[in-house]
Amino acid sequence: MTSEKLAELSIFYGAVQKNKELTQLVDLLKQKPKLNNVLEIGSASGGTFWLWCQLASSTAQLTSIDLPLGRFNNGRTYNEKLLLGYKKPNQTVSLIRKNSHSPKTESKLCEVLNEKELDLLFIDGDHTYEGVKDDYNRYSKYVKNGGLIVLHDIAHHDQVKDCQVDKFWNELKQQHSVVEIIDPEYDDRGWGSWGGLGVLVK
Ligand SMILES: C[S@@+](CC[C@H](N)C(=O)[O-])C[C@H]1O[C@@H](n2cnc3c(N)ncnc32)[C@H](O)[C@@H]1O
């Protein structure tokens, strides 16, 4: 399937993403070795989770963490059965319905990983400065060298004051070589400036 079609379907399944940005991320991921182990923080209704299942290897382990009624959910429906149905037959899925900032959640992830390392960490949960920083500091250590860490919403959000991923991203990019995928033009949701995907190779 083309990257554009995958991005389009991911948005159809509920991803809160800009099509052009997600298409570029899919292009980039397709150039990398197959994903065998993926962690997503922020499942919402499963749109991006569907995409990781599509892109990952046929035997991949995929984990998605989401806090019921967490911030930045904006009333999106969570349907566990639906998310479990997105996996390929031999993929393994763990859905963790807990606060990503809790040490208990981190322990649960360690159990799931069973000493394996992540190929992709996608951070799209708590978008406050402290929240995204905690997710990065807590979970980036489980990513293998050469693996990818992707943050969503690195663009400045005019209308959502507690969306502060840009502030953390601007610090992070001083210390690492990064790729920024930002489509400043397209605003189908009428939110003004929003979105942006930040990619960091560990
Ligand atoms: C913007 S949505 C994620 C969108 C999803 N990645 C997609 O595009 O398909 C953010 C999600 O993060 C969750 N969330 C917020 N704070 C969280 C936390 N501390 N721990 C776990 N999940 C959290 C919210 O409940 C919400 O479902």
Side-chain angles (χ1 to χ4, degrees), residues 105-158:
T105 308
E106 189 181 350
S107 301
K108 177 72 195 158
L109 174 75
C110 289
E111 257 175 53
V112 169
L113 288 180
N114 195 14
E115 304 202 347
K116 293 196 193 81
E117 291 183 302
L118 296 168
D119 301 298
L120 171 67
L121 166 61
F122 181 68
I123 303 180
D124 193 19
D126 178 354
H127 289 51
T128 61
Y129 173 79
E130 289 76 17
V132 68
K133 187 174 180 175
D134 183 272
D135 284 342
Y136 179 86
N137 289 336
R138 192 176 291 281
Y139 297 104
S140 58
K141 56 181 173 284
Y142 300 105
V143 178
K144 65 158 74 147
N145 283 334
L148 297 183
I149 302 170
V150 180
L151 276 67
H152 187 228
D153 290 311
I154 60 162
H156 181 69
H157 285 48
D158 301 320

Side-chain angles (χ1 to χ4, degrees), residues 20-37:
K20 264 196 204 165
E21 293 176 354
L22 199 54
T23 300
Q24 279 186 54
L25 178 66
V26 174
D27 275 341
L28 192 151
L29 291 173
K30 281 181 173 175
Q31 288 162 27
K32 299 276 170 196
K34 266 280 180 197
L35 305 170
N36 289 318
N37 217 319

Side-chain angles (χ1 to χ4, degrees), residues 164-192:
Q164 298 151 348
V165 181
D166 59 322
K167 185 176 169 202
F168 178 62
W169 179 250
N170 289 335
E171 290 175 8
L172 208 56
K173 72 183 193 187
Q174 306 303 318
Q175 300 147 29
H176 301 272
S177 113
V178 299
V179 175
E180 293 187 334
I181 304 174
I182 298 186
D183 173 7
E185 305 293 327
Y186 187 60
D187 175 27
D188 57 336
R189 304 188 191 221
W191 292 347

Side-chain angles (χ1 to χ4, degrees), residues 5-6 37-38 42 49 54-56 72 74 77 102-103 105 113 121 126 145 149 153 174 188 194:
K5 190 70 194 168
L6 283 164
N37 217 319
V38 177
F49 185 70
Q54 295 295 310
L55 292 172
F72 306 97
N74 297 330
T77 338
S102 152
T105 308
L113 288 180
L121 166 61
D126 178 354
N145 283 334
I149 302 170
D153 290 311
Q174 306 303 318
D188 57 336
W194 74 282

Side-chain angles (χ1 to χ4, degrees), residues 58-127:
S58 60
T59 54
Q61 161 74 52
L62 299 112
T63 307
S64 190
I65 299 176
D66 198 278
L67 178 66
L69 302 176
R71 292 172 86 172
F72 306 97
N73 176 277
N74 297 330
R76 292 181 189 99
T77 338
Y78 182 91
N79 181 332
E80 189 175 275
K81 265 196 186 159
L82 201 66
L83 265 71
L84 289 173
Y86 290 160
K87 79 176 191 73
K88 295 175 189 163
N90 295 319
Q91 290 177 337
T92 313
V93 164
S94 298
L95 301 175
I96 304 177
R97 297 287 282 153
K98 292 186 190 306
N99 186 344
S100 61
H101 309 320
S102 152
K104 281 190 186 157
T105 308
E106 189 181 350
S107 301
K108 177 72 195 158
L109 174 75
C110 289
E111 257 175 53
V112 169
L113 288 180
N114 195 14
E115 304 202 347
K116 293 196 193 81
E117 291 183 302
L118 296 168
D119 301 298
L120 171 67
L121 166 61
F122 181 68
I123 303 180
D124 193 19
D126 178 354
H127 289 51

